[in-house]
């Protein structure tokens, strides 16, 4: 029996901005040519809890594995297998989600770079629309 790992699949499909937004961005870019769109969130920022589970379980393994012999027979010995199981499952569950997130983030960055370039190059909204449609 094959088990499918449930995960969130991310995608990014940037659309055409409206004329008012275009005019606001155009004036902002004209006032400050170094202005840029903010960097999209990282996977860690978006999924702090899941990422911390991987980090904490990995740290627990690194700390407790060298002391396996001295922990044998004590209640602390259970920390090693539980940490390993937590690390294994959290890594498996996050792997596909991480790849999907990174792909969508890359598409978003590419879209924002192109959007900024087209806004700066265009002379008006209709020109901007043509630039956006030509490069799709």
């Amino acid at each position: 029996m094959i088990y499918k790992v449930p995960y969130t699949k991310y995608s990014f499909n940037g659309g055409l901005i409206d004329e008012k937004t275009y005019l606001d961005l155009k004036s902002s870019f004209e006032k400050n040519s170094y202005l840029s769109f903010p960097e999209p969130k990282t996977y860690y920022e978006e999924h702090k809890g899941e990422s911390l589970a991987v980090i904490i379980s990995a740290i627990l393994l690194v700390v407790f594995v060298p002391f396996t012999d001295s922990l044998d027979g004590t209640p602390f010995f259970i920390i090693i297998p539980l940490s390993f199981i937590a690390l294994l499952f959290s890594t498996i569950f996050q792997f596909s989600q991480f790849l999907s997130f990174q792909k969508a983030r890359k598409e978003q960055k590419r879209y924002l770079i192109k959007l900024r370039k087209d806004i700066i190059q265009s002379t008006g909204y209709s020109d901007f629309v043509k630039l956006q449609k030509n490069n799709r």
Side-chain angles (χ1 to χ4, degrees):
M1 179 178 195
I2 296 176
Y3 179 75
K4 292 187 177 185
V5 177
Y7 67 93
T8 304
K9 188 171 184 175
Y10 291 90
S11 64
F12 180 79
N13 298 317
L16 187 64
I17 59 174
D18 60 69
E19 189 170 4
K20 182 185 179 333
T21 305
Y22 165 78
L23 293 172
D24 291 343
L25 289 171
K26 180 80 172 171
S27 68
S28 295
F29 289 140
E30 285 174 351
K31 290 177 186 173
N32 187 353
S33 61
Y34 297 107
L35 188 65
S36 187
F37 291 106
E39 190 72 19
K41 283 186 174 183
T42 63
Y43 184 81
Y44 178 76
E45 292 171 336
E46 190 74 26
H47 298 278
K48 276 188 182 170
E50 296 99 333
S51 299
L52 284 174
V54 170
I55 293 168
I56 290 171
S57 57
I59 289 172
L60 286 173
L61 278 174
V62 168
V63 169
F64 282 102
V65 165
F67 302 107
T68 303
D69 292 337
S70 61
L71 291 175
D72 195 16
T74 66
F76 292 109
F77 188 73
I78 194 72
I79 292 174
I80 296 170
L82 288 178
S83 297
F84 178 75
I85 291 169
L87 179 65
L88 180 69
F89 281 109
S90 58
T91 302
I92 289 171
F93 283 110
Q94 287 191 57
F95 184 71
S96 297
Q97 182 170 291
F98 175 78
L99 293 177
S100 173
F101 184 88
Q102 290 304 99
K103 182 181 175 189
R105 186 173 186 262
K106 185 178 177 182
E107 290 170 2
Q108 182 182 12
K109 286 171 99 175
R110 194 176 309 131
Y111 169 79
L112 292 175
I113 289 168
K114 185 186 170 330
L115 181 67
R116 182 181 185 280
K117 182 182 137 211
D118 287 348
I119 288 172
I120 291 171
Q121 286 181 349
S122 62
T123 56
Y125 186 70
S126 59
D127 187 35
F128 167 75
V129 172
K130 288 177 191 173
L131 285 171
Q132 286 281 293
K133 287 184 180 179
N134 287 340
N135 296 328
R136 284 200 177 214

